[in-house]
Amino acid sequence: MQNPIKFITLLFLCTIVSCTDVIDVDVQSDSTRLVVEASLDWEKGTTGNEQTITLRTSTPFFDTQSTDVIGAQVSVTNDVDGEVYLFTDQADGTYTTDTFNPQLQASYTLEIIYDGQTYTANDTMNPVADIIDVFQDTEDGFDDETIELHIVFNDFEAEGDNYFFKYERPQDLLPILESGDDEFINGNEVDWWFEINDDEDDDDEGNIKPLAPGDVVTINMHSISRPYYNYIDIVIDQLGGVGIFESTPVAIKGNCINTTNPDNYAHGYFRVTQKNTIIYTVE
């Protein structure tokens, strides 16, 4: 089905010749879809019982109306033991539970019933390795004058581990994301280093600054399933921006399937992960 097109009229005042040009710009818009933010992350060393799922709807370009989804039925089922966790509607787009019982190696199925349609998704929770050390230096990065952080852990002996890292600083608008697997590091001690390169040409345009003394960095290390690795790897690649030598962005579909009407699929992803969190202050 061809997507509807909005025609937006933009007026450009040409000060040199004192004229007004009317230009029609085609802005592509998609049909309204359910947007699912369902990351059930179990912090290692905690019970992991409190979890939140957020539901919204996509909106046409320039639409400022509320997109909170209210009145949906949301549940997550442990496919191993059959236990069902009901998420309570908080009337603000969020659905919460305080009874979730995370289980390693278990598969979980999300079910959302909204507007007469049923959406489902599935993911598996894998164990995350312990972080055994975090330190900083300037020796292994791309720039020997730029501080990098090193996260040290032992990869599990069994092959097939996949990792997702999120780095956050209070002064940054968005976190920095990284993903990786154990194809070349399986069963070994891993020194995973993280560096923010300095691009002076972009500093005035909001470029994220390199790590500096006093910076407080929250490091989240997740163990993720292979399907989620494949998804987030594409997301990270496209977040890197598009230049003349970059690949063309593609539509990224998550794992939320509409079993009532497959063409009306949802955006977003349902994941279950175990994670470590470290807060590090740069010296």
Side-chain angles (χ1 to χ4, degrees):
M1 180 180 67
Q2 186 175 4
N3 290 330
I5 300 294
K6 283 189 174 180
F7 291 94
I8 300 174
T9 300
L10 302 179
L11 299 180
F12 290 84
L13 298 180
C14 303
T15 56
I16 297 178
V17 296
S18 300
C19 66
T20 301
D21 290 339
V22 179
I23 301 175
D24 289 331
V25 179
D26 294 347
V27 179
Q28 187 172 349
S29 64
D30 194 5
S31 57
T32 299
R33 296 188 185 278
L34 182 66
V35 180
V36 179
E37 299 175 32
S39 299
L40 306 189
D41 299 325
W42 175 21
E43 175 73 39
K44 200 165 188 178
T46 71
T47 61
N49 61 301
E50 296 184 355
Q51 299 290 342
T52 299
I53 291 173
T54 301
L55 302 180
R56 308 194 189 282
T57 56
S58 60
T59 57
F61 204 59
F62 296 140
D63 194 334
T64 59
Q65 295 181 356
S66 173
T67 62
D68 297 339
V69 168
I70 299 172
Q73 299 176 46
V74 181
S75 65
V76 173
T77 301
N78 183 321
D79 300 327
V80 175
D81 59 21
E83 188 168 3
V84 178
Y85 306 99
L86 301 178
F87 284 68
T88 303
D89 186 353
Q90 301 300 318
D92 61 357
T94 63
Y95 295 75
T96 63
T97 184
D98 60 5
T99 62
F100 185 67
N101 183 25
Q103 179 182 343
L104 294 176
Q105 309 294 356
S107 170
Y108 290 87
T109 297
L110 168 70
E111 181 181 76
I112 300 169
I113 301 175
Y114 170 64
D115 198 23
Q117 300 187 47
T118 299
Y119 301 81
T120 64
N122 181 268
D123 199 24
T124 300
M125 180 172 288
N126 298 316
V128 68
D130 290 326
I131 296 176
I132 57 179
D133 192 18
V134 178
F135 66 93
Q136 68 182 72
D137 66 24
T138 59
E139 298 178 358
D140 298 317
F142 297 107
D143 185 340
D144 59 9
E145 295 183 357
T146 300
I147 297 172
E148 73 256 3
L149 298 184
H150 294 254
I151 299 94
V152 183
F153 60 94
N154 289 314
D155 182 70
F156 295 120
E157 291 186 5
E159 190 174 358
D161 296 307
N162 304 281
Y163 301 103
F164 170 56
F165 290 86
K166 180 169 69 172
Y167 308 92
E168 297 177 282
R169 294 183 299 182
Q171 67 266 38
D172 296 335
L173 181 62
L174 296 173
I176 296 176
L177 312 178
E178 291 183 333
S179 61
D181 59 25
D182 67 353
E183 180 179 2
F184 301 109
I185 59 174
N186 182 55
N188 294 309
E189 180 178 289
V190 180
D191 180 353
W192 185 285
W193 57 267
F194 162 69
E195 178 187 70
I196 303 174
N197 294 317
D198 187 10
D199 189 343
E200 295 181 359
D201 292 337
D202 290 338
D203 283 346
D204 293 335
E205 300 177 8
N207 185 50
I208 298 178
K209 305 293 185 180
L211 295 170
D215 282 358
V216 178
V217 185
T218 299
I219 305 167
N220 289 287
M221 171 186 174
H222 301 252
S223 178
I224 57 178
S225 65
R226 190 63 186 186
Y228 183 69
Y229 169 85
N230 294 334
Y231 170 83
I232 197 64
D233 194 50
I234 297 174
V235 171
I236 292 171
D237 183 60
Q238 296 201 6
L239 285 175
V242 178
I244 60 174
F245 300 112
E246 301 286 348
S247 58
T248 303
V250 296
I252 308 174
K253 287 187 180 180
N255 62 346
C256 299
I257 299 171
N258 186 330
T259 59
T260 306
N261 177 11
D263 290 336
N264 187 29
Y265 58 87
H267 293 306
Y269 206 98
F270 168 63
R271 79 177 188 207
V272 288
T273 77
Q274 188 180 44
K275 71 170 184 174
N276 289 313
T277 298
I278 298 289
I279 298 176
Y280 182 88
T281 302
V282 179
E283 299 176 355

